[in-house]
Amino acid sequence: MARDITSDSNGVTEVGPAPAEIQAVVEGRHWDPFSVLGPSADQSTIVAHIPGAERVWAVNDSEAQELEPYASVPTVFHGPYVPYYRLRIQWPGGHVEERHDPYRFSPVLGEIDEYLLSEGTHHQLWRALGAHLITHEEVPGVHFAVWAPNAKRVSVVGNFNSWDHTAHPMRSRGATGVWELFIPGLGAGETYKYSILGDNGQLPLKADPVGFGSEHAPHTASVVRDIDAHTWTDSDWLEVRGEAFATSAPVSIYEVHLGSWKRVSDEHGERFMSYRELAEELVDYAHHMGFTHIEIMPVSEHPFDGSWGYQPIGLYAPTIRYGTPEEFQAFVDAAHARGLGVIADWVPGHFPTDSHGLGNFDGTALYEHADPRQGFHPDWNTLIFNYGRPEVLSYLVSNALYWLSEYHLDGLRVDAVASMIYLDYSRKDNEWVPNRDGGRENYEAINFLQRTNTAAYGADDSVAIVAEESTAFPGVTKPVHTGGLGFGYKWNLGWMNDSLEYFAKDPVYRKYHQNQLTFGMTYAYSENYVLPISHDEVVHGKGSMYQRMPGSHEDKLGNLKLFYAYMWAFPGKKLLFMGQEFGQHHEWNHSASLDWNTLDDPGHAGVQNVVRDLNLFYRDQPAMHALDTDPRGFQWLLLEAVDDQVIAWMRRGNPGDPHVVVVLNCTPVERTNYRIAFPVPGRWHEALNTDSSHYGGANRGNCGAIDTEPVPCGTEAQSALLTLPPLTAIYFVEDQS
């Protein structure tokens, strides 16, 4: 398809076989525009396609040569070669501009990129694909690259070329399936999409699968962003963050939807807080409340607010709802400055069918399975990634590493793991395809998760990858080399369901359901667990945590404080969704701010104080966390008082750490002179009592401390008579002075 254009001293005199190819360029259907446009191989001529131009010159610092319009195609200009040329363009109305010709530049992607891309093992895909601000051959501009192996032609379109799909066709990199183009003179903030010609004709304009920014909804274009603009100041945090997420560390996570934590009222009405505003208010609040980590619901760009981010289209773009990538980086940096880790929810399980997204990207089922029994999710009306395709595997693994690397995130919480690892998840018979052994396990998805965890921990073992896995799939947090999935933690959804059901019951019936409170200990050490009270528990008619508690207003508050004290004393890391730390009345509404006025009620302020003090106590007492994944860290002290619904246990740390005894009275009846076993004789301080007036209670209890008596009780040789206020938890700490 080589062109044959010759010139003499008067300019172009003959055009060989180029007319048909030029016509193909002008019509936006030429797969190899560099064989037509730009300088010829022998650097004798120049051909440029400038839609809308009146006159064009090739110029450098010392000469100018006007290019002639091609006879039958007046938007194509050709003429003698000028070294190191720029194009001077006169537009209708007389406006003149100069710009570099994209078709005079050599490729940007190198051999290593090509090799890794074609093999599907590029784990820094975002450094090769996407839109990058670079200086190429001493000229600044933007390098665009996209994977579309079945496309017949790909063009970059945007405001810079009036969205004309014929203006900037891209260079095919052959077997890699990648198309690239360096467009000189472009900068940050440019909007763009890819125009793709498939086998069946022109496709809808596509957003960049590896784009770093997006327009504000309802607009859907990608935006050129500089992800290297932020100057990080968190080196001290990065050195110690692994200790903050260790299985022996106190991990208390505040889950947040950034768009509804708190909104700002201005002259235009209510608006979202920005990343920079959240870097002050949210970070200060989480730090004050004693949490160790903030978990943000997905910040990957998503078209629909109501999906909360769980139907992402821009997997590499922090949502513009709250600011730019640099501003999101500043938010993470600010959290690290206050000693808070940041976790983001990550959604590699499915993606929406919006026409500008990944679906049918190059006219074929490129990212998704073609068979709807494998490629369509009936629960969410979304598409499912083809985890067995090497390039898709590389795309997703790279995405996890991208967030951890470029945004210094301390962890990822992987959404809906069960929907990935089971082929029959939420499907009826004959609606799914068994694996090669006839089973329901999705071997390709399992391999993807193992590859992701291996890559993430291999790159930096101080991060944590957390699974939201709702079944009893074995070995979720076991190492990959032993056959496990390789996650650092797993959400304990069994504990969550059982305990919430127990506390929702009227106390008169709780004695029939004590196993729901205690059964979790039979499997507490089978995985590394996080105990989650997440957003999923306070939506879709379930009510808020306050609403789910039985009884009067005072009883609801008492039950809620009791539940949180139970949760913080149970083995496992803690996660609480925003608003539940003060017992918000109503269930969560993503389109409004939390009801912070709830705190005008002293009882709700008391719940908030309980959660803060639980966090501080949890962090300060090694017995509450040091042996979280070790059975030696826990011992039942009282399980037999079923009718009374008084339950007690001991938390133990490493040798030399003070023991902690936890006593729950799960009924609205005060118990006096109630004998409880203690594992060590001597004085025990009443370190936390949820009936304290500081928490809105009546200050009933044990006057701050008790002394054990040599009266055997249960398996222990000493015990004490306690006063147990109704619906109250008390923590006792061993006095070692």
Side-chain angles (χ1 to χ4, degrees), residues 275-397:
Y275 290 127
R276 292 198 181 276
E277 290 169 326
L278 291 161
E280 294 184 8
E281 291 201 39
L282 173 58
V283 167
D284 284 352
Y285 179 76
H287 179 266
H288 168 75
M289 288 296 296
F291 290 99
T292 64
H293 294 75
I294 299 171
E295 179 174 323
I296 50 179
M297 291 165 70
V299 292
S300 298
E301 194 58 78
H302 49 283
F304 177 48
D305 284 356
S307 79
W308 314 330
Y310 291 101
Q311 292 198 12
I313 278 188
L315 274 181
Y316 285 80
T319 178
I320 192 61
R321 288 167 174 80
Y322 320 120
T324 65
E326 181 182 3
E327 290 167 333
F328 179 56
Q329 289 166 327
F331 166 78
V332 177
D333 213 357
H336 290 171
R338 301 300 297 274
L340 287 164
V342 180
I343 310 160
D345 283 7
W346 185 52
V347 189
H350 60 120
F351 58 94
T353 59
D354 298 57
S355 61
H356 68 285
L358 298 179
N360 197 41
F361 187 79
D362 63 357
T364 67
L366 189 62
Y367 287 89
E368 70 273 25
H369 274 284
D371 187 336
R373 295 175 300 169
Q374 298 171 288
F376 184 76
H377 208 300
D379 280 359
W380 303 305
N381 293 319
T382 52
L383 300 173
I384 301 172
F385 286 104
N386 182 351
Y387 304 108
R389 185 161 191 164
E391 298 92 342
V392 175
L393 188 64
S394 178
Y395 175 78
L396 292 172
V397 173

Side-chain angles (χ1 to χ4, degrees), residues 55 82 178 290 313 470:
R55 299 174 68 186
V82 174
V178 171
I313 278 188
S470 56

Side-chain angles (χ1 to χ4, degrees), residues 384-629:
I384 301 172
F385 286 104
N386 182 351
Y387 304 108
R389 185 161 191 164
E391 298 92 342
V392 175
L393 188 64
S394 178
Y395 175 78
L396 292 172
V397 173
S398 289
N399 187 243
L401 298 177
Y402 165 78
W403 289 105
L404 297 170
S405 172
E406 300 298 341
Y407 294 93
H408 290 204
L409 292 179
D410 305 287
L412 298 172
R413 197 277 285 179
V414 184
D415 182 64
V417 169
S419 74
M420 290 185 271
I421 60 178
Y422 291 110
L423 294 164
D424 64 344
Y425 182 88
S426 201
R427 295 179 186 274
K428 299 176 183 177
D429 291 343
N430 301 318
E431 291 182 353
W432 57 283
V433 179
N435 60 36
R436 61 180 178 267
D437 298 316
R440 59 196 286 255
E441 294 80 11
N442 187 335
Y443 295 153
E444 295 170 344
I446 290 170
N447 174 64
F448 153 63
L449 294 169
Q450 291 173 325
R451 287 273 297 272
T452 299
N453 287 323
T454 299
Y457 285 112
D460 188 342
D461 62 4
S462 70
V463 301
I465 313 298
V466 182
E468 185 216 10
E469 201 285 306
S470 56
T471 73
F473 189 89
V476 172
T477 60
K478 304 305 180 187
V480 170
H481 70 269
T482 67
L485 294 184
F487 284 94
Y489 290 98
K490 172 183 172 174
W491 275 18
N492 192 338
L493 298 175
W495 169 89
M496 178 271 298
N497 284 317
D498 285 348
S499 59
L500 287 183
E501 284 187 19
Y502 174 88
F503 275 94
K505 289 180 171 62
D506 187 302
V508 72
Y509 300 115
R510 286 177 178 172
K511 64 182 179 180
Y512 304 112
H513 301 277
Q514 179 173 295
N515 65 307
Q516 290 183 309
L517 209 60
T518 60
F519 180 70
M521 282 309 303
T522 65
Y523 60 87
Y525 304 108
S526 61
E527 304 276 7
N528 301 333
Y529 280 120
V530 173
L531 309 181
I533 302 298
S534 74
H535 64 279
D536 278 332
E537 308 319 311
V538 292
V539 290
H540 303 319
K542 295 176 184 175
S544 68
M545 285 293 291
Y546 169 83
Q547 290 173 319
R548 295 173 75 155
M549 298 294 128
S552 66
H553 172 63
E554 289 74 18
D555 286 344
K556 288 179 183 293
L557 294 174
N559 273 296
L560 195 54
K561 292 180 287 185
L562 173 63
F563 172 78
Y564 290 151
Y566 157 75
M567 174 180 173
W568 257 254
F570 200 89
K573 309 313 178 187
K574 324 301 174 189
L575 180 142
L576 196 62
F577 183 58
M578 64 181 199
Q580 305 318 311
E581 77 277 12
F582 55 81
Q584 176 166 290
H585 279 121
H586 305 294
E587 73 174 26
W588 171 53
N589 177 4
H590 77 272
S591 60
S593 174
L594 294 180
D595 185 8
W596 292 98
N597 292 332
T598 302
L599 287 166
D600 293 340
D601 182 322
H604 287 275
V607 174
Q608 185 186 50
N609 288 337
V610 163
V611 172
R612 182 174 188 270
D613 285 355
L614 285 170
N615 275 330
L616 298 179
F617 184 84
Y618 173 57
R619 295 172 71 165
D620 290 344
Q621 293 295 330
M624 299 291 281
H625 56 79
L627 298 181
D628 238 1
T629 58

Side-chain angles (χ1 to χ4, degrees), residues 17 22 39 46 56 104 146 153 201 275 403 421 447 572 620 637 642:
I22 286 178
I46 297 170
V56 177
R104 78 167 180 84
V146 63
R153 183 269 304 148
Y275 290 127
W403 289 105
I421 60 178
N447 174 64
D620 290 344
L637 295 174
V642 176

Side-chain angles (χ1 to χ4, degrees), residues 108-109 113 122-130 132 134 143 145 210 212 226-228 316 398 402 405-406:
V108 174
L109 294 176
D113 283 319
H122 206 309
H123 283 179
Q124 289 192 322
L125 199 66
W126 72 93
R127 287 297 178 189
L129 304 185
H132 291 271
I134 66 169
H143 174 247
V210 191
F212 303 139
D226 183 0
I227 60 172
D228 297 317
Y316 285 80
S398 289
Y402 165 78
S405 172
E406 300 298 341

